[in-house]
Amino acid sequence: MKLYDDLVWRGLIKDFSSPDLIDKLNNEKLTFYIGTDPTADSLHLGHLSSFLISKRLKDYGHNPILLVGGGTGLIGDPRPTAERDTIVKEELFRNTECLKNQVQRLFGFKVVNNYDWIKDISAIDFLRDYGKHFNVNYMINKDIVRRRLESGITYCEMSYMILQSLDFLHLNKEYSCTLQVAGSDQWGNITAGIDLIRKKTGQEVYGFTMPLILDKFGNKFGKSEGNALWLDKNKTSPYEIYQYLVNTDDSKVVEYLKVFTFLSHEEINKLEEKVKTEPEKREAQKALASEVVRFLHGEEELQEAIKLTECLFTGNVKELTDEEIEMVFKGMPTIETKEDTIINIMTNNDIASSKREAREFLSNNAITLDGEIINDENYIITNNKKNHIIRRGKKKYYLITVSYTHLTLPTT
């Protein structure tokens, strides 16, 4: 199957600038670019789909360039709702370096920074050499700009379109770049760049966009949406990525398999059938989570994520370290307590409303401590681990941090 047909099958093309692009994607070797502004020190899952599309183009023989917007990041791409917060230069430059290292490690793309060619352009040159090619009526008819007209949009934000177009022109001149790839919210900026290059050089260049990838609630994967899953494992652990994806809704999992993995059509079709016939096995979700974590963090981190997931599913956390318990139960309210009997811990921390209710839970085998059933109301945790999990019934978990009064130090 040709590249374009594969991209269409995976649902990865929304808009494209010319029918000629189909043949060029299938039969030529294009230099193309994808851009991101360094508003954070890591990419997140919302970026991953775009970068994986770029990798698909690279694997097919096209030449990718990642543009990190050290210059455009100082301005901020217009949002549909309000102007972005301004980021100080020092933070932006630090983020730029982090993104460069991350992208080169994961994807092996050439990385450029548009601050390098924007910083020396004077205001007069900017207006004379570039601004005069942009019709204001054309600019305000772009979707995001038009949506902001009632609430107000600044000239600074309006200028972003010109800067991104300037980027395309610069890369065209310096690297013979003839294609820009981006999310569908960048379509107006892409077409503006195509127009600028045509006016300045007479050359025909191209662009295509990908649909934005949404969660089951219709929200973008992004830090502005409050649901960012970072590709940096120090910000979002491989276990958290795995957990999120393994819990993907049946209605979204096949879409995500096409977008986020390099599984073949045949493999994805088989998993789609499993979703229909044996949804309880969640084979598609497990494949999705495994493929993404393995790609981002490697086999060892994947196996660790699977181990932690199994411990969460079984409730058997006895063998987990304090650090692993904190990772698995991240976000769960933590109860800090001194060394005490299980019944006192339960009643003093609202695990049970009274000692009588606590005794009922204990006698009915409804209380487990680190995966083991506890019946003795006078049971005292005596090992040296700081973190423990009390589970009440099937779904109520409590993270208990114990400070011991008489610690027994391990022998050496």
Side-chain angles (χ1 to χ4, degrees):
M1 179 178 288
K2 294 287 189 177
L3 174 61
Y4 178 80
D5 294 328
D6 179 61
L7 295 177
V8 170
W9 181 81
R10 292 178 183 273
L12 297 178
I13 293 185
K14 185 176 187 297
D15 301 296
F16 59 100
S17 61
S18 167
D20 296 341
L21 182 58
I22 298 173
D23 181 67
K24 290 181 178 297
L25 285 172
N26 288 338
N27 300 308
E28 297 184 20
K29 305 304 179 188
L30 305 177
T31 294
F32 70 96
Y33 93 93
I34 179 172
T36 186
D37 284 342
T39 54
D41 59 3
S42 172
L43 300 173
H44 53 67
L45 197 62
H47 294 115
L48 183 60
S49 60
S50 303
F51 280 82
L52 289 179
I53 292 171
S54 299
K55 187 176 187 307
R56 295 180 204 280
L57 268 65
K58 178 186 178 186
D59 291 348
Y60 200 81
H62 300 292
N63 178 38
I65 299 172
L66 168 68
L67 183 149
V68 179
T72 44
L74 292 170
I75 303 301
D77 194 5
R79 291 192 299 176
T81 52
E83 188 169 8
R84 295 179 186 272
D85 294 333
T86 301
I87 302 177
V88 298
K89 283 187 178 181
E90 292 75 16
E91 180 183 355
L92 204 74
F93 295 161
R94 184 181 69 84
N95 291 348
T96 297
E97 194 62 27
C98 290
L99 292 185
K100 175 181 177 180
N101 294 335
Q102 188 176 59
V103 167
Q104 289 180 334
R105 177 182 65 83
L106 286 173
F107 303 99
F109 295 171
K110 176 183 179 60
V111 180
V112 296
N113 180 359
N114 65 11
Y115 183 78
D116 293 339
W117 57 84
I118 291 176
K119 63 181 173 61
D120 295 325
I121 300 175
S122 71
I124 292 176
D125 289 342
F126 176 74
L127 294 173
R128 282 175 55 87
D129 295 341
Y130 307 105
K132 70 176 183 179
H133 294 289
F134 288 79
N135 184 289
V136 172
N137 292 336
Y138 174 87
M139 296 174 75
I140 63 177
N141 277 318
K142 295 303 181 182
D143 181 54
I144 288 180
V145 175
R146 188 174 64 250
R147 289 156 65 184
R148 284 283 304 283
L149 288 178
E150 287 189 14
S151 60
I153 184 169
T154 66
Y155 177 76
C156 180
E157 293 176 277
M158 285 278 287
S159 300
Y160 190 96
M161 181 184 294
I162 303 177
L163 289 176
Q164 185 166 322
S165 301
L166 189 162
D167 288 340
F168 200 173
L169 176 63
H170 175 86
L171 295 179
N172 175 255
K173 289 180 176 179
E174 294 296 320
Y175 301 102
S176 300
C177 176
T178 57
L179 172 64
Q180 183 180 172
V181 179
S184 60
D185 57 346
Q186 297 296 312
W187 180 241
N189 293 331
I190 289 177
T191 56
I194 291 172
D195 287 343
L196 178 64
I197 293 172
R198 186 183 298 120
K199 290 173 181 177
K200 296 281 282 186
T201 72
Q203 185 179 358
E204 185 71 20
V205 295
Y206 306 91
F208 78 83
T209 66
M210 307 147 285
L212 298 177
I213 307 303
L214 307 177
D215 63 21
K216 66 179 180 180
F217 302 109
N219 299 318
K220 292 195 303 181
F221 293 108
K223 62 186 181 67
S224 61
E225 303 296 334
N227 60 348
L229 293 163
W230 303 101
L231 306 192
D232 182 343
K233 70 177 183 179
N234 295 315
K235 294 168 72 73
T236 299
S237 70
Y239 165 78
E240 290 175 278
I241 294 277
Y242 186 92
Q243 270 297 301
Y244 182 88
L245 294 174
V246 86
N247 285 294
T248 299
D249 192 82
D250 286 351
S251 65
K252 302 293 289 185
V253 68
V254 175
E255 174 190 345
Y256 291 176
L257 281 166
K258 291 178 178 180
V259 170
F260 290 118
T261 79
F262 290 89
L263 294 176
S264 67
H265 293 205
E266 293 74 20
E267 290 170 314
I268 292 175
N269 287 336
K270 287 179 182 178
L271 290 167
E272 184 175 17
E273 186 63 26
K274 290 288 186 179
V275 173
K276 297 174 183 177
T277 59
E278 298 178 294
E280 70 282 357
K281 292 185 177 181
R282 305 190 70 76
E283 290 188 31
Q285 283 87 347
K286 291 175 183 177
L288 170 66
S290 295
E291 289 296 314
V292 172
V293 173
R294 183 185 291 111
F295 176 81
L296 293 176
H297 302 298
E299 186 65 30
E300 186 175 340
E301 294 284 7
L302 169 62
Q303 293 307 316
E304 174 72 5
I306 292 173
K307 168 195 164 186
L308 297 179
T309 298
E310 290 174 348
C311 288
L312 177 63
F313 179 76
T314 62
N316 182 17
V317 297
K318 187 175 182 179
E319 303 303 319
L320 298 183
T321 65
D322 285 328
E323 292 74 17
E324 289 173 332
I325 289 175
E326 289 175 358
M327 186 187 304
V328 171
F329 296 94
K330 182 179 180 180
M332 179 183 294
T334 301
I335 295 171
E336 296 184 0
T337 182
K338 293 182 179 179
E339 183 179 4
D340 205 345
T341 62
I342 191 73
I343 194 169
N344 284 340
I345 291 175
M346 291 173 63
T347 54
N348 291 339
N349 295 286
D350 296 324
I351 299 173
S353 60
S354 65
K355 287 192 175 182
R356 191 176 82 124
E357 185 180 55
R359 290 188 181 101
E360 289 179 1
F361 287 143
L362 290 164
S363 63
N364 292 330
N365 296 335
I367 299 298
T368 65
L369 175 70
D370 297 338
E372 294 186 355
I373 295 173
I374 303 296
N375 302 119
D376 180 6
E377 66 181 69
N378 294 314
Y379 181 88
I380 296 175
I381 303 172
T382 56
N383 65 39
N384 293 340
K385 281 176 63 176
K386 178 182 72 172
N387 295 322
H388 302 270
I389 299 297
I390 290 178
R391 187 179 72 180
R392 194 190 81 193
K394 292 184 177 180
K395 296 184 178 180
K396 291 282 188 178
Y397 288 87
Y398 303 87
L399 175 56
I400 310 295
T401 298
V402 180
S403 59
Y404 297 99
T405 55
H406 297 92
L407 284 177
T408 302
L409 297 177
T411 58
T412 58

